[in-house]
Amino acid sequence: MNFDLTEEQQMLQETVGQLLANECPVTRLREVFDSDTGFDESLWKGLGELGILGLNVPEDFGGAGLETLDLAVVAETMGYHAAPGPFLGHALAIEAIVSGGSEAQKKKWLPDLASGARIGAVAIADSDGGWASGHWKIEPGDQVSGTQSFATGGQHADLFVVGLAGGRLGVVDAEAAGFSRQSVDGADLTRRLVALEFDRTPCELLADDDAQAARRLHDVGCVLLAADAFGGSVRLLEMSVEYAKTREQFGVKIGHFQALKHQLASMALDVEPGRGLYWYAAYAQDHVADESERIAAVAKAHMTDRYMDVARNAVEAHGGIGFTWECDVQIWFKRAMFNRAFLGHPGEHRRRQAEMAGW
Amino acid sequence: MDLNYGTEMEDFRQEVAQFLEDNWPLKGEEKDLPFEKAAAVFRERAIEQGYLYRSIPKEYGGSEQPPDVLKGQVIREEFGKRWAPLEARGIGTMMLVPTLLERGSEWQKEKFVRPTITGEITWCQGYSEPGSGSDLASLKTRGELVDGEWLINGQKIWTSGAHLADYMFCLVRTEPGAQKHAGISYLLIDMKQPGIDVRPLRMMTGSADFNEVFLNDVRTPEDWIVGKRGEGWLVSRTTLKYERNSIGAAQQTGAAFAGLVKLAKETKIGGRPAIEDETIRERLAVLEGYVKAHEYSGYRQLTKDSKREDAGIINMMMKLFSTEIGHQTAKLSMDLIGDEGLLSAGGAELGQRSSSAQGWIGQYMYSLGIAIAGGTANIQRNVIAERGLGLPRDAAADRSSGK
């Protein structure tokens, strides 16, 4: 029994945390947040040099060949720092290709994705709503036509893994004919979304795709959002505690007031117990096949809900300043909104959770 | 991360399982012994094997094993599977014995530890007073040394099991001039003496497990003090250092949740199983998120304890987290039992889990008791905020003088 991170995983978190603290402190984060593109090229390069962008790419294709838990601890750190950029969709695109691509396809796409030379993204939100593979309507083929909303990667992604009817997945190049994308006016400016339109756009179907790849993409996505939610919640709690220790009213630090202390304690109670839940959900993806789908749903529903609760409390704990654009809390608040809605809101996952339990 | 216990532990598990196969239930002539007697016989054998009272030295009746959190867990799991008696529960075993082992004098350990763990003698805890609940250190029960004996006067309250106990371990103000916390001593008192008046307090559930205890010129020998005069507060905070059962609480909430799911399957709403109702499913799913978080936090704590590392702030949260899950479980059960929510708790006792409606009503009420006992939820939040998050200490607590 060793329900804990390995030393390597702790070092991985530290290394990524160090990079983010150096390359993207809050001052820089705010610049990226307020920029047109939401993309920080030097940060992306830095992540690539550390091997973070190919963490889940097998070693044969230039990656680190690590597991979902490794990816998740990085996602936690990204969440803590509100790291801007297309990491989430990039990791999920890799996950889909690793799971559903033929050897030739892996060889074709993975090395460039692993180095970060090309940016991967996912387009799995049907325009009529629905993130699960059953909702996808675009007919699979060498050419595809139709629309997808809320694809990741913003204006920078180079290739998209697209959800198609029947739970198939195809890869579309952003340079391809008949491909167009439009920025979405999203709340979370650290992770930009785009709406895609395909008009007889060339598409390469994943070869070994038997709907497992779609499932894997979805489950790992849930886990990474839960991990990111945990990291973000930790940060919001820290910010709120710090504020309570410095802000003075009635002649004392407001952290003296029991009403606020109890609010902060309740936030801590929303945050800390989630750590083991996301760990296990991540671990299960590679080691506990019969629990992996359900525990991913539990973690996604529970932890993104808790993140949102913590974010609302964090705004309140900061008082008037908490409601301003100037206050950093809003950046994490909007990541909480993203994590809660992306891949389906908690109620949907709880419906699946109940179904899979045979209730 | 590795959720397996490893070969060494699995071998140990086999060994424990084999022991249980041979020894529980008792065989031959012993198989007709009444349960309490049978449990005592069995415990003695389990102690010989090193399976129970592992942190208690052999000379005091324990099995004196090197601390091993995982072994402790494997033993609990295997004993649990076969309903074999574990260590006698009760406040004497759980609180007094570790305190004596850590702070007691030699004769105190010799006299009290063995009969306490065998269940020969039972204890009650004299801490709370009518005017001293959350602010326990303000307690007023006085002890004076008169002719080589402590003469004790005052009143204790919420004293579970006082009507049955042989002895009380008790916090008493012996140094009236000293600062609040420094004026308290930890005394042991024989309950079977004139001057002790135990009056049962009936709880909202209808049963009466706890009491008021009036102490009127109660006497106890001078050396029935644990630690020195004025050290009682520190002594009372001594905790069991080894083999803390870090996942027991999570396993209990998990079991309660499983019971709730079963109830939802067996109960009908509008002629159909309640579990098919969308609202009920959603509420169960929400609750399960907390239950799972509790479970995996428990595994993490178990791991940290086994490596002798500090799991951090989570240790301060587990009581509050458990009770909050308990509240949610209880509330949902009340919605499931429907019209039977008009019934009484039917004399349900603490910890008794029943699939009957009245059993759930008992839990519904007891979940409040658990949230209050041993530090109310609001006190738990203070602890999390002050010790866990490092927020300033409560101004009121700083100022009070303990007069």
Side-chain angles (χ1 to χ4, degrees):
Chain A
M1 167 70 58
N2 188 8
F3 192 79
D4 205 351
L5 300 182
T6 61
E7 262 177 51
E8 289 80 5
Q9 284 160 342
Q10 292 175 34
M11 268 171 54
L12 179 63
Q13 275 196 314
E14 249 170 63
T15 313
V16 175
Q18 204 62 56
L19 176 84
L20 290 169
N22 293 340
E23 285 283 319
C24 199
V26 178
T27 42
R28 174 67 190 142
L29 171 62
R30 296 204 66 103
E31 286 170 19
V32 182
F33 191 82
D34 287 327
S35 73
D36 290 340
T37 64
F39 184 67
D40 181 335
E41 199 165 346
S42 92
L43 176 63
W44 189 254
K45 246 182 100 186
L47 288 167
E49 281 161 9
L50 276 183
I52 301 304
L53 302 177
L55 219 54
N56 52 338
V57 171
E59 284 171 303
D60 287 351
F61 302 104
L66 295 179
E67 297 190 345
T68 307
L69 181 55
D70 304 290
L71 203 54
V73 301
V74 169
E76 179 198 327
T77 311
M78 299 267 193
Y80 180 87
H81 291 275
F87 174 76
L88 174 71
H90 180 81
L92 293 180
I94 290 172
E95 204 62 40
I97 294 169
V98 170
S99 169
S102 66
E103 287 301 296
Q105 288 175 327
K106 289 180 197 176
K107 206 169 158 194
K108 176 175 172 187
W109 290 311
L110 290 178
D112 280 349
L113 290 173
S115 68
R118 302 192 81 198
I119 298 173
V122 291
I124 49 174
D126 190 80
S127 304
D128 294 333
W131 298 83
S133 55
H135 291 99
W136 300 336
K137 286 196 303 286
I138 298 174
E139 277 307 315
D142 294 342
Q143 287 190 341
V144 291
S145 294
T147 55
Q148 289 271 21
S149 40
F150 308 124
T152 66
Q155 297 295 339
H156 289 270
D158 299 297
L159 56 90
F160 289 82
V161 171
V162 182
L164 303 168
R168 295 298 303 274
L169 293 169
V171 176
V172 168
D173 198 299
E175 305 273 285
F179 171 89
S180 60
R181 63 179 140 189
Q182 198 139 45
S183 295
V184 169
D185 180 19
D188 177 13
L189 297 175
T190 64
R191 289 171 294 183
R192 304 294 169 98
L193 298 171
V194 283
L196 304 186
E197 202 174 323
F198 309 108
D199 179 14
R200 284 163 292 161
T201 308
C203 171
E204 187 168 341
L205 295 175
L206 291 185
D208 299 334
D209 180 4
D210 52 0
Q212 284 305 305
R215 204 195 105 179
R216 173 94 187 169
L217 191 171
H218 191 257
D219 294 345
V220 172
C222 285
V223 169
L224 297 186
L225 289 166
D228 182 281
F230 178 74
S233 308
V234 168
R235 183 62 175 272
L236 283 170
L237 176 62
E238 279 179 18
M239 288 162 69
S240 304
V241 167
E242 191 49 39
Y243 188 72
K245 286 177 182 171
T246 43
R247 166 81 175 164
E248 287 188 14
Q249 285 289 274
F250 303 102
V252 292
K253 306 277 189 256
I254 58 172
H256 274 103
F257 298 118
Q258 206 168 38
L260 181 57
K261 273 194 213 169
H262 284 195
Q263 187 177 19
L264 294 168
S266 297
M267 287 165 72
L269 208 63
D270 269 340
V271 176
E272 183 59 30
R275 188 192 301 269
L277 176 56
Y278 104 69
W279 283 359
Y280 186 74
Y283 172 82
Q285 299 312 308
D286 302 309
H287 299 279
V288 197
D290 57 342
E291 284 183 55
S292 59
E293 189 174 2
R294 184 161 188 273
I295 196 70
V298 174
K300 152 78 175 158
H302 183 74
M303 297 189 62
T304 61
D305 248 357
R306 297 288 74 72
Y307 191 13
M308 203 68 249
D309 287 350
V310 169
R312 292 188 74 88
N313 274 308
V315 171
E316 213 183 309
H318 280 73
I321 191 77
F323 195 63
T324 63
W325 192 269
E326 182 194 336
C327 179
D328 299 331
V329 169
Q330 60 119 345
I331 297 176
W332 279 266
F333 185 99
K334 288 157 188 176
R335 279 180 80 100
M337 287 172 66
F338 181 105
N339 286 19
R340 194 169 180 278
F342 194 82
L343 288 184
H345 65 87
E348 273 175 48
H349 292 284
R350 293 192 176 113
R351 263 198 294 282
R352 296 172 52 232
Q353 183 186 336
E355 249 171 54
M356 287 187 270
W359 291 349
Chain B
M1 178 153 312
D2 182 3
L3 294 184
N4 295 313
Y5 281 89
T7 359
E8 192 196 337
M9 275 310 136
E10 291 310 327
D11 289 349
F12 179 71
R13 186 187 295 281
Q14 287 305 315
E15 183 194 308
V16 176
Q18 187 60 51
F19 166 80
L20 291 170
E21 180 71 41
D22 297 342
N23 289 284
W24 188 259
L26 299 181
K27 297 185 172 54
E29 286 175 11
E30 290 172 336
K31 91 176 153 50
D32 296 324
L33 287 175
F35 179 82
E36 274 313 316
K37 187 88 183 88
V41 171
F42 169 79
R43 280 197 187 107
E44 220 164 278
R45 289 173 194 161
I47 290 168
E48 259 170 57
Q49 288 292 315
Y51 295 160
L52 296 180
Y53 300 112
R54 295 164 46 81
S55 51
I56 298 176
K58 284 188 174 146
E59 52 179 320
Y60 310 128
S63 62
E64 199 173 346
Q65 298 294 309
D68 190 327
V69 171
L70 294 184
K71 279 191 176 173
Q73 179 58 24
V74 167
I75 291 165
R76 275 191 298 276
E77 285 178 11
E78 291 305 309
F79 276 49
K81 275 183 210 163
R82 289 160 187 268
W83 303 96
L86 278 156
E87 293 170 5
R89 289 178 63 84
I91 201 134
T93 310
M94 294 191 296
M95 294 196 59
L96 177 75
V97 168
T99 303
L100 284 183
L101 289 175
E102 204 68 32
R103 312 289 300 241
S105 64
E106 195 48 44
W107 77 263
Q108 289 170 345
K109 293 183 210 176
E110 268 169 32
K111 179 176 170 68
F112 293 119
V113 174
R114 187 187 301 266
T116 301
I117 66 177
T118 58
E120 209 176 300
I121 58 172
T122 57
W123 294 81
C124 62
Q125 178 197 58
Y127 283 8
S128 295
E129 296 183 6
S132 304
S134 297
D135 183 13
L136 181 60
S138 71
L139 59 89
K140 292 189 185 66
T141 293
R142 288 186 56 192
E144 282 173 280
L145 208 48
V146 179
D147 301 332
E149 274 187 326
W150 292 103
L151 194 66
I152 301 153
N153 283 286
Q155 184 192 347
K156 294 291 175 181
I157 198 167
W158 322 129
T159 319
S160 298
H163 54 305
L164 305 169
D166 302 298
Y167 299 95
M168 172 190 268
F169 56 97
C170 184
L171 292 178
V172 175
R173 186 161 302 283
T174 57
E175 324 298 315
Q179 182 269 337
K180 191 172 176 178
H181 294 82
I184 297 170
S185 294
Y186 189 107
L187 300 181
L188 309 176
I189 296 173
D190 189 339
M191 290 290 281
K192 311 292 182 206
Q193 62 171 303
I196 288 193
D197 181 12
V198 178
R199 298 184 198 165
L201 282 169
R202 197 167 178 212
M203 300 180 293
M204 63 183 284
T205 58
S207 43
D209 300 343
F210 59 19
N211 306 275
E212 291 176 290
V213 179
F214 294 86
L215 303 121
N216 232 322
D217 284 344
V218 164
R219 285 161 199 281
T220 205
E222 183 174 2
D223 60 351
W224 284 37
I225 182 173
V226 183
K228 296 201 184 82
R229 289 177 69 144
E231 281 185 358
W233 186 258
L234 289 176
V235 172
S236 74
R237 316 218 123 199
T238 309
T239 47
L240 186 57
K241 274 191 187 158
Y242 307 114
E243 295 191 6
R244 187 164 58 111
N245 181 0
S246 15
I247 62 177
Q251 284 170 337
Q252 276 172 23
T253 51
F257 181 76
L260 192 66
V261 170
K262 187 163 174 278
L263 180 65
K265 285 179 176 166
E266 290 165 354
T267 313
K268 294 226 160 43
I269 292 180
R272 301 184 57 198
I275 194 107
E276 292 175 15
D277 180 272
E278 280 307 319
T279 313
I280 297 294
R281 290 164 80 84
E282 163 87 11
R283 288 175 65 190
L284 281 172
V286 169
L287 183 53
E288 195 188 18
Y290 289 99
V291 171
K292 289 284 180 195
H294 197 195
E295 181 182 346
Y296 297 115
S297 290
Y299 283 125
R300 180 169 165 272
Q301 282 175 292
L302 178 66
T303 299
K304 288 289 186 194
D305 287 350
S306 74
K307 293 196 278 193
R308 306 276 190 106
E309 291 172 7
D310 184 7
I313 193 172
I314 192 85
N315 289 333
M316 296 167 208
M317 291 180 170
M318 281 320 229
K319 192 205 170 207
L320 184 56
F321 200 53
S322 301
T323 51
E324 291 202 343
I325 296 173
H327 284 320
Q328 294 306 321
T329 306
K331 275 188 202 165
L332 186 44
S333 77
M334 289 302 283
D335 291 343
L336 287 169
I337 63 175
D339 292 347
E340 288 183 295
L342 291 164
L343 299 175
S344 79
E349 281 174 32
L350 184 59
Q352 194 181 43
R353 221 169 270 299
S354 167
S355 51
S356 73
Q358 287 187 306
W360 283 105
I361 291 163
Q363 288 302 317
Y364 183 63
M365 295 182 189
Y366 268 117
S367 66
L368 285 165
I370 293 164
I372 296 163
T376 64
N378 280 336
I379 289 292
Q380 301 296 323
R381 287 188 190 98
N382 280 0
V383 170
I384 294 167
E386 291 171 5
R387 289 192 223 148
L389 302 176
L391 289 163
R393 295 270 301 163
D394 194 352
D398 286 342
R399 274 200 303 270
S400 43
S401 61
K403 269 182 270 174

